[in-house]
Amino acid sequence: MKTNDVILQTTTKVVFFIIFLFSIHIFFAGHYTPGGGFVGGLLTTGAIVLLLLAFDLKTVQKALPFNFTIMTAIGLLLALGTAAGAIFFNVPFFTHAFDDFTLPLFGVTSLHTAMVFDAGVFLVVVGSAITIIQSIGGDS
Amino acid sequence: MTVIANILIVTTIVVGLIFTIVTMIGILRLPDVYTRAHAASKSATLGVLSILLGVFFHFWLKEGHFSISLLLGIVFLFITSPIGGHLMGRAAYMSGVKPTELTVGDDLKDAVKEAKAKNMQQLKD
C-alpha cells in the first residue's frame, strides 16, 4: 500500500534548510564559540538523514549527486594539505597561520588556516557517515 | 525597565514550567496512545517554547545578547514537534493500536479500508 507522506515530506522540505544553515553556522562559529567541523558535519549528516527518512534512497541520490566516498577522500586531502603546507614555510608540521583581511561584505575578517583543516574534518564526517548509512540502507 | 523585564522573564518561564508539568500529568493520566500523543505534542510544545522564549528575553534584556539561535530553536520546535506527534499517532494507528473504549467515531478506519480496496483492485487489473 502506497503511504501518504504529504505532511512529513512538506515539513522536511522546510526543516532541511533550517538544519543545513544551522550546521553551516556551527561550522563557521567553531573558532570562537562551541561548534566546529565535527558537530557541523554531524548536523549536515542529520539533515541528509531526514531527507532519506522522508523520501527514498534513489530520490536523495538524484537530489544530491555526490560520491560520498570521494568526498571523504577530498576531506582527508584538505586536512593533510593544510598540515603539510606548513613545511614549505620552514616551520614545523601542523603550524597554522592567520591574518586579517578586509572583505567586501564582511568587513575586517581574520582568516585562519585552521578553517581549511576544519573543512576537511567536515567533509570526512559527512562523507563517512552518509556512506555508512547508504550502504546499510540500500538492499541491492 | 528592569522590573518589566523581570516580570516578563519570570512569567514566560513559569508558564512554560506549568505547561510542561501539565504534559507530564496528561501522559500519566490519559487512557490511550492517541490522547497521550495529544497531550505530549501540544502542551509540551508550548511549554518548551515558552521556556525558550523566557531564556531569550533574559539574554536579550538583561545581558544584552540577541540570540538568533534561540529564536531559530523556537521556530524549529514549533514546526517539528506537532509533526512528531502526528507521525507517532499515525504509526500507532497503522500498527493496530486500539483507541480507548470511550471513543465514539473512527473516520480513518473507513478511509484506510477504502484505500486498501482500491489498492487490491489495482493489483487485480
Side-chain angles (χ1 to χ4, degrees), chain B residues 31-124:
Chain B
D32 67 343
V33 179
Y34 308 105
T35 45
R36 280 178 188 161
H38 163 79
S41 61
K42 262 205 178 88
S43 149
T45 311
L46 190 63
V48 179
L49 205 137
S50 184
I51 290 176
L52 282 179
L53 204 65
V55 175
F56 168 74
F57 279 138
H58 172 80
F59 278 107
W60 185 28
L61 300 173
K62 310 276 283 194
E63 318 256 326
H65 172 70
F66 191 86
S67 171
I68 300 285
S69 310
L70 278 169
L71 286 183
L72 198 68
I74 291 172
V75 172
F76 189 81
L77 203 76
F78 197 66
I79 298 174
T80 52
S81 184
I83 306 296
H86 159 76
L87 288 173
M88 274 192 288
R90 194 182 159 88
Y93 189 89
M94 291 304 174
S95 51
V97 177
K98 288 270 172 293
T100 165
E101 304 284 309
L102 302 166
T103 314
V104 285
D106 191 352
D107 286 347
L108 192 54
K109 193 158 85 183
D110 304 333
V112 168
K113 201 184 274 174
E114 203 173 288
K116 269 188 182 153
K118 210 181 199 176
N119 225 38
M120 289 303 279
Q121 195 64 41
Q122 272 179 356
L123 280 179
K124 264 181 205 162

Side-chain angles (χ1 to χ4, degrees), chain B residues 17-43:
Chain B
L17 208 64
I18 290 170
F19 268 99
T20 314
I21 293 170
V22 164
T23 309
M24 194 189 68
I25 297 171
I27 288 175
L28 290 176
R29 294 273 302 160
L30 288 171
D32 67 343
V33 179
Y34 308 105
T35 45
R36 280 178 188 161
H38 163 79
S41 61
K42 262 205 178 88
S43 149

Side-chain angles (χ1 to χ4, degrees), chain A residues 61-123:
Chain A
Q61 263 167 358
K62 207 186 277 173
L64 303 168
F66 307 119
N67 188 336
F68 287 98
T69 328
I70 291 176
M71 189 187 258
T72 314
I74 291 172
L76 283 172
L77 273 181
L78 268 183
L80 191 65
T82 34
I87 291 174
F88 295 109
F89 298 97
N90 225 357
V91 283
F93 190 63
F94 251 117
T95 308
H96 286 298
F98 76 97
D99 203 1
D100 291 333
F101 295 94
T102 313
L103 299 178
L105 204 60
F106 298 98
V108 178
T109 317
S110 95
L111 294 179
H112 202 295
T113 49
M115 194 84 240
V116 186
F117 183 76
D118 239 13
V121 175
F122 184 94
L123 289 180

Side-chain angles (χ1 to χ4, degrees), chain A residues 1-5 7-8 11 14-15 18-19 21-22 25, chain B residues 69 72 75-76 79-80 83 86-87 90 94 112 115-116 119:
Chain A
M1 188 172 135
K2 195 167 172 291
T3 47
N4 183 5
D5 285 344
I7 297 176
L8 179 62
T11 325
V14 179
V15 163
I18 298 180
I19 304 176
L21 286 179
F22 190 64
H25 164 77
Chain B
S69 310
L72 198 68
V75 172
F76 189 81
I79 298 174
T80 52
I83 306 296
H86 159 76
L87 288 173
R90 194 182 159 88
M94 291 304 174
V112 168
K116 269 188 182 153
N119 225 38

